[in-house]
């Protein structure tokens, strides 16, 4: 997350996934932090977003696996 990013909303979908969306200072969506609350699952990545792991490495698997370690969806 970069300076000035602001919390937008909590994601509750899909079930079992916790997510927090942040926007840049102009209000454009920028970053979503996601992880699985209970059991591992997977998500479909919306068009226009790239996924990164905790270390900043791109994740190219589709659908994207989600477990207890956060992943980051970043607007392209």
């Amino acid at each position: 997350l970069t300076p000035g990013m602001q919390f937008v909303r909590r994601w509750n979908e899909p079930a079992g996934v916790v997510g927090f969306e942040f926007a840049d200072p102009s209000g454009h969506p920028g970053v979503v932090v996601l992880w699985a609350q209970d059991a591992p699952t997977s998500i479909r990545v919306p068009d226009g977003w790239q996924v990164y792991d905790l270390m900043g490495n791109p994740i190219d698997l589709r659908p994207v696996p989600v477990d207890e370690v956060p992943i980051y969806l970043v607007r392209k």
Side-chain angles (χ1 to χ4, degrees):
L1 298 173
T2 59
M5 296 290 277
Q6 300 173 346
F7 173 76
V8 174
R9 68 183 176 109
R10 180 178 172 155
W11 284 25
N12 296 314
E13 300 278 333
V17 172
V18 176
F20 295 93
E21 182 175 340
F22 298 87
D24 67 22
S26 66
H28 293 99
V31 177
V32 178
V33 183
L34 295 171
W35 64 93
Q37 189 169 12
D38 298 315
T41 188
S42 62
I43 61 163
R44 187 187 75 74
V45 178
D47 291 339
W49 293 79
Q50 174 62 50
V51 183
Y52 297 91
D53 66 16
L54 185 62
M55 300 303 292
N57 300 307
I59 299 174
D60 294 322
L61 296 172
R62 299 294 186 266
V64 175
V66 182
D67 58 23
E68 71 277 358
V69 178
I71 61 171
Y72 299 84
L73 278 68
V74 178
R75 182 69 123 178
K76 293 183 185 178

